[in-house]
Amino acid sequence: MPNNQLTIALSKGRMQDDALAMFARAGIVVEESELKSRKLIIHSADGRYAFILVKPGDVPTYVEYGVADAGICGRDVLLESQADVHEPLDLKFGYCRIAVAGKRELMGQDYNLLATVRVATKYKRIASEYFQQKGVPIEVIPLSGSVELAPLIGLSDRIVDLVETGRTLKENGLDVIEVITESTARLVVNRASFHLKRQEVGSLIAQLTDILEKERENAKHA
Amino acid sequence: MSSLTKIPAGVQYFFDEEVRLRRSVEARAMRVFAGWSYDEIILPMFDYHDLFARGMGVEKAEATYRFVDRDGALLALRPELTSLVARTVATRFLKRARPVRLCYSGEVFRYDDPTERAAREFHQLGVEHIGEPDVVADVEVLLVAAEVLSALGLDDFRIALSHVDFFSGVAGFLGLDDAQRSELRALIDRRNSLALAEFLQKVAAHIEPERRNDFCRLTQIAGKEGAIERAREILLNEKSRAAVEHLGRIYGTLTELGLRDNFDIDLGDTGGQEYYTGLVFKVFVPELGVEIGSGGRYDNLIANFGQAEPAVGFSFALDGLVSAIGKRQSAHAPQTAESAQAISVNGDLVAAFAAARAQRAQQKQVKISAK
């Protein structure tokens, strides 16, 4: 009944690779054969960890409901989901900015000239809260991908999206107008698991903290 | 739109197995409450909106279903039961001997966004212990909660204890303003020790780094008696120290009673709800990712309805208890309906119903068949 395995939800894609690499540095290794398989649940070699591979935006949900004890996802996803979870560690990788972008030729235009700004985004909540605070009325146009397209074909005036290097924006004639906030990968932990699997969660946090401190030291010396 | 099949978001219908399980869980919990001399109180489904605002605060009272009485007064469906109990004790029970022990079982209604939280209507079971300021009452309600869980077969529960003065003592000692206070609270609550360390470097630069780091570690992970000892070494302010001593007395008693495994000290729980004034606790079981119950001391609440009186209490979510038990099928035989032998009428109404009445006189279950 009280099972000692920790279930960890990972965002599929690049963040998954970065996360597993960090776990490997912390001594939590997943066999090559597991990695190459198409399984959605994979296990660490020592059997202490099960990783479930899910859509990035779903990580906080799996953790909040406790089907995963912990998870790794971007701060952007956490802000958008407002999930009620613990967030003990900033893992530092997966850096990007959440920014407002728009067409270059409209850059000079003040918001007041646009009665209601149409904003296309995957981040409905972040976008509404940001513009609400600025007192700019907006109409959110929810999209789930290729958000950069929206201003090009007249669907929206602005977009709110993740910006890593800014290359995609540039190539589509868009520029960052304002940075709303920054995002990196975070370790999140379910509130009940935090108590019921205190030992396991504690040692995971300690192992990852160790790696983070080592990396900070190395960065200092480099 | 078909109004026959459509149901409003967040409402629930129960039938068959689930009804039997819910009723049996409720009955078992209420038996434990009665065993500790808590008298049941039945409370109204709605009352003045103002009463709830006065009780648990305006913010909570905002999340209510509101409607208008014939005289124009604003009413609300009850969003919680503690305010109703507090008002009753402060008015109708004024002359009764203290402590007053009351328990309740009933639905509450919250006007929440149903896409955010599944149920807008849910059932709470709880107790309120009023008129005793001491550790005695604190330990008593914790033991009542523990016994309910054991009685339901949820023996591997975990109750995390904290005290609001631990946090407010530290915030006061550091001279934080309201904004800083809520930032500190959020950082501790998220268990983000790195960000917490950075924050403390800003607001508590005068305190030695070693002590600051110890404070971060202390609030990041829940512990046992060791957490109390470490807190004693780290803390510099009297208020927090007294809070930790109080927790130490409770924890020592629970340990001697053989309940150490079931209780944790979690100084990272800052007691989010404003009305708490002392001990706070949250109840977890392995089957559920969310707390199944919570409680604490609220010595200022009753003063909102009359003279000040100390009080402590807790409530369980019946839905949480039921779903935890449901996931643990093996521990409990399914609650099946009694099976009845059918009595055929077969054209002779009198004979059939006479037989049925004879069986009922012996408390047996009967089922009439028209054929």
Side-chain angles (χ1 to χ4, degrees):
Chain A
M1 189 41 265
N3 107 48
N4 296 327
Q5 193 179 59
L6 273 191
T7 303
I8 300 178
L10 298 180
S11 306
K12 270 197 258 182
R14 227 179 78 195
M15 193 161 276
Q16 169 193 334
D17 299 338
D18 289 346
L20 286 171
M22 185 163 188
F23 277 113
R25 290 198 296 281
I28 300 164
V29 182
V30 179
E31 302 271 7
E32 197 68 17
S33 59
E34 285 276 283
L35 288 176
K36 284 198 176 130
S37 72
R38 285 167 166 249
K39 288 192 285 190
L40 294 175
I41 305 179
I42 57 178
H43 293 87
S44 66
D46 60 10
R48 284 171 58 208
Y49 296 91
F51 296 99
I52 56 176
L53 311 176
V54 305
K55 238 181 118 184
D58 293 343
V59 170
T61 309
Y62 281 86
V63 177
E64 185 175 20
Y65 282 83
V67 286
D69 300 301
I72 291 178
C73 62
R75 177 163 179 264
D76 56 317
V77 171
L78 281 177
L79 286 175
E80 183 63 23
S81 78
Q82 293 285 309
D84 188 22
V85 294
H86 292 309
E87 187 196 323
L89 288 178
D90 178 351
L91 301 174
K92 303 289 182 196
F93 63 80
Y95 174 83
C96 52
R97 294 167 293 164
I98 304 168
V100 184
K103 269 162 106 171
R104 213 160 290 150
E105 57 267 31
L106 284 175
M107 287 287 287
Q109 263 194 52
D110 194 20
Y111 282 124
N112 296 340
L113 299 177
L114 308 159
T116 294
V117 185
R118 289 173 307 156
V119 179
T121 186
K122 281 182 268 188
Y123 300 93
K124 220 175 137 184
R125 191 195 300 255
I126 296 175
S128 333
E129 274 175 16
Y130 179 72
F131 285 102
Q132 233 163 48
Q133 261 171 18
K134 289 173 69 94
V136 176
I138 66 167
E139 180 192 339
V140 173
I141 300 171
L143 292 179
S144 54
S146 301
V147 181
E148 300 84 1
L149 192 57
L152 301 183
I153 56 173
L155 178 60
S156 77
D157 306 307
R158 298 276 192 265
I159 63 170
V160 167
D161 206 13
L162 278 192
V163 182
E164 281 178 64
T165 57
R167 214 181 115 200
T168 317
L169 290 182
K170 282 235 156 56
E171 288 183 2
N172 288 294
L174 303 176
D175 270 325
V176 170
I177 298 169
E178 291 147 308
V179 174
I180 298 178
T181 186
E182 297 177 327
S183 172
T184 48
R186 303 298 163 105
L187 176 73
V188 293
V189 179
N190 170 263
R191 283 181 181 270
S193 302
F194 191 83
H195 290 283
L196 297 160
K197 297 188 174 177
R198 186 155 50 85
Q199 238 97 42
E200 294 81 1
V201 168
S203 85
L204 174 67
I205 292 175
Q207 274 170 290
L208 293 176
T209 308
D210 226 39
I211 293 294
L212 285 168
E213 270 164 20
K214 266 186 210 150
E215 282 169 5
R216 199 164 50 173
E217 281 304 305
N218 290 344
K220 240 187 246 170
H221 295 302
Chain B
M1 173 170 65
S2 159
S3 60
L4 282 181
T5 50
K6 194 176 182 225
I7 56 172
V11 304
Q12 306 187 79
Y13 288 72
F14 298 104
F15 33 81
D16 297 344
E17 205 59 40
E18 202 162 1
V19 170
R20 289 188 279 275
L21 183 56
R22 289 178 77 88
R23 291 297 188 204
S24 126
V25 168
E26 182 186 13
R28 279 181 280 171
M30 295 304 272
R31 262 205 302 280
V32 173
F33 296 160
W36 287 85
S37 303
Y38 287 78
D39 287 324
E40 183 173 359
I41 180 167
I42 298 180
L43 298 156
M45 281 291 168
F46 60 87
D47 209 308
Y48 291 117
H49 174 263
D50 179 52
L51 176 133
F52 299 110
R54 226 178 231 265
M56 299 305 228
V58 177
E59 200 178 311
K60 271 212 165 158
E62 285 307 303
T64 50
Y65 286 90
R66 277 164 281 181
F67 46 102
V68 176
D69 206 352
R70 296 171 70 98
D71 64 2
L74 189 58
L75 301 170
L77 284 185
R78 61 190 189 192
E80 38 88 13
L81 296 160
T82 304
S83 296
L84 294 167
V85 174
R87 193 267 303 267
T88 311
V89 172
T91 54
R92 305 264 192 94
F93 285 29
L94 205 54
K95 299 222 169 67
R96 290 205 188 183
R98 298 300 194 250
V100 173
R101 292 184 177 86
L102 293 170
C103 66
Y104 55 76
S105 166
E107 294 85 359
V108 297
F109 307 88
R110 305 237 169 115
Y111 190 70
D112 280 336
D113 181 352
T115 57
E116 304 268 318
R117 291 281 165 272
R120 296 160 134 190
E121 173 198 358
F122 46 91
H123 195 121
Q124 290 187 326
L125 300 164
V127 305
E128 315 287 356
H129 182 293
I130 294 144
E132 228 168 59
D134 204 21
V135 68
V136 181
D138 289 358
V139 172
E140 178 180 315
V141 298
L142 288 170
L143 291 178
V144 175
E147 189 181 321
V148 168
L149 294 161
S150 301
L152 296 173
L154 300 167
D155 291 287
D156 45 5
F157 65 88
R158 193 69 65 87
I159 300 182
L161 310 176
S162 189
H163 194 297
V164 296
D165 282 351
F166 170 76
F167 172 80
S168 60
V170 170
F173 178 72
L174 295 175
L176 303 184
D177 61 32
D178 281 352
Q180 288 171 323
R181 196 178 264 257
S182 50
E183 191 180 349
L184 180 60
R185 195 189 284 280
L187 286 170
I188 292 178
D189 182 65
R190 299 229 108 189
R191 315 270 173 175
N192 191 334
S193 69
L194 216 71
L196 176 59
E198 282 165 18
F199 177 77
L200 289 177
Q201 200 166 4
K202 262 192 309 184
V203 301
H206 57 289
I207 291 170
E208 58 271 42
E210 197 47 43
R211 199 180 289 274
R212 291 201 308 252
N213 288 339
D214 284 347
F215 179 81
C216 295
R217 264 195 292 276
L218 188 62
T219 54
Q220 196 183 27
I221 291 286
K224 300 276 179 191
E225 55 283 325
I228 293 170
E229 281 155 32
R230 261 179 296 133
R232 276 197 192 110
E233 290 163 22
I234 297 167
L235 290 168
L236 292 167
N237 77 87
E238 272 317 304
K239 197 174 182 186
S240 300
R241 294 183 79 97
V244 167
E245 290 312 318
H246 186 83
L247 283 178
R249 278 190 73 196
I250 293 173
Y251 202 79
T253 311
L254 294 168
T255 304
E256 295 214 23
L257 292 168
L259 288 163
R260 185 179 176 274
D261 286 349
N262 289 116
F263 286 88
D264 277 345
I265 298 291
D266 180 17
L267 297 173
D269 179 1
T270 59
Q273 307 289 3
E274 264 171 48
Y275 45 83
Y276 285 130
T277 56
L279 169 75
V280 284
F281 57 96
K282 293 195 170 111
V283 186
F284 300 96
V285 292
E287 285 77 9
L288 284 190
V290 293
E291 66 197 46
I292 204 168
S294 64
R297 182 165 276 288
Y298 43 92
D299 288 348
N300 299 331
L301 175 65
I302 296 177
N304 297 333
F305 302 103
Q307 71 191 48
E309 276 198 85
V312 59
F314 67 79
S315 70
F316 284 117
L318 178 62
D319 305 74
L321 293 171
V322 167
S323 83
I325 292 167
K327 286 184 186 172
R328 204 179 289 202
Q329 285 296 345
S330 58
H332 282 267
Q335 313 273 323
T336 48
E338 282 179 64
S339 56
Q341 193 82 46
I343 298 173
S344 291
V345 174
N346 229 344
D348 190 344
L349 280 171
V350 175
F353 282 110
R357 275 163 53 92
Q359 299 223 12
R360 285 302 305 136
Q362 297 167 43
Q363 301 295 320
K364 284 191 182 135
Q365 191 185 345
V366 298
K367 195 184 221 171
I368 304 296
S369 162
K371 281 180 208 126

